[in-house]
Amino acid sequence: MTGARPAQLLLLLAAAPARGAEGPLPPGAQALLDALHDIHEPAAPGALPPAPGWYVLATALLLALVAAAVLLRRRRARTRPVRAALAELDAWERAARSGGDPVGHAETLAALLRRVALVRYPRPEVAPLGGDAFLAFLDRTLGEAHFRDGPGRVLGDARYRGRIELDVPALAALARRWLQEHEDGPTVTVSSPAGEAA
């Protein structure tokens, strides 16, 4: 009987339009309608497992993060010598401002710039240079003539010619600018002109 009740209800409902929507329901139809259950909404889809597109997106995001981390690490490794040199330059500037031996301070700064130049440029191009030839190299790689003709001249052969005077702020600013220009690597391709090796 329970299997026949829904079938009876369907027959009654199908016949209702033929009789008109306003007409009375056949006997027992209301009881059959009352026995029906409400429509239930289906449960929301679960979060797991996600659709395949989410796996693709997660993989792409993970690869992008790994690539960014690798690039950042390489950049930090590439800029490490100059960052260390800039910290050393700050210490040099404090020591040079407090006085002491100007020739010794000039030699210290020249050695600092030479170490960075040896890291950033091929050793055969930089190692044989000394004195004014090294200053000419610094000027070529900076694109300005402030080492040979400016405050940087005390870093060349001038420091061996007796007493020198350091313009510490100008010299520190010039060295800082050269170091910052070379933070990511060489700025120009340089080969020593003939006769500059000292």
Side-chain angles (χ1 to χ4, degrees):
M1 185 75 181
T2 57
R5 291 182 80 195
Q8 289 173 350
L9 180 62
L10 287 174
L11 287 174
L12 287 172
L13 291 175
R19 290 189 311 265
E22 302 284 329
L25 291 174
Q30 187 62 44
L32 289 173
L33 286 174
D34 291 340
L36 291 176
H37 296 286
D38 275 341
I39 297 174
H40 294 286
E41 292 288 329
L48 293 174
W54 287 109
Y55 288 111
V56 172
L57 183 63
T59 302
L61 183 61
L62 182 63
L63 289 175
L65 288 174
V66 168
V70 167
L71 291 174
L72 181 63
R73 186 175 177 152
R74 284 183 184 170
R75 175 163 168 51
R76 287 189 57 77
R78 189 173 59 244
T79 61
R80 185 175 297 127
V82 172
R83 285 185 287 119
L86 286 168
E88 207 172 318
L89 178 63
D90 290 339
W92 174 88
E93 187 175 6
R94 285 190 299 276
R97 284 179 188 266
S98 67
D101 178 24
V103 173
H105 290 311
E107 288 175 357
T108 301
L109 184 57
L112 171 66
L113 293 174
R114 175 177 290 280
R115 284 196 320 265
V116 174
L118 285 168
V119 170
R120 289 296 184 232
Y121 290 95
R123 182 171 284 278
E125 293 181 7
V126 178
L129 302 177
D132 289 342
F134 182 63
L135 297 184
F137 166 83
L138 293 174
D139 282 338
R140 282 193 316 276
T141 56
L142 184 61
E144 300 172 12
H146 293 299
F147 281 100
R148 284 182 85 170
D149 300 329
R153 67 184 169 279
V154 296
L155 302 178
D157 293 334
R159 69 180 188 261
Y160 303 117
R161 296 187 189 125
R163 184 157 174 78
I164 60 169
E165 288 201 28
L166 295 178
D167 183 357
V168 175
L171 194 54
L174 179 60
R176 185 169 287 109
R177 204 164 90 232
W178 188 87
L179 289 170
Q180 289 169 343
E181 285 284 324
H182 292 82
E183 189 170 12
D184 283 327
T187 55
V188 294
T189 303
V190 176
S191 62
S192 298
E196 269 198 5

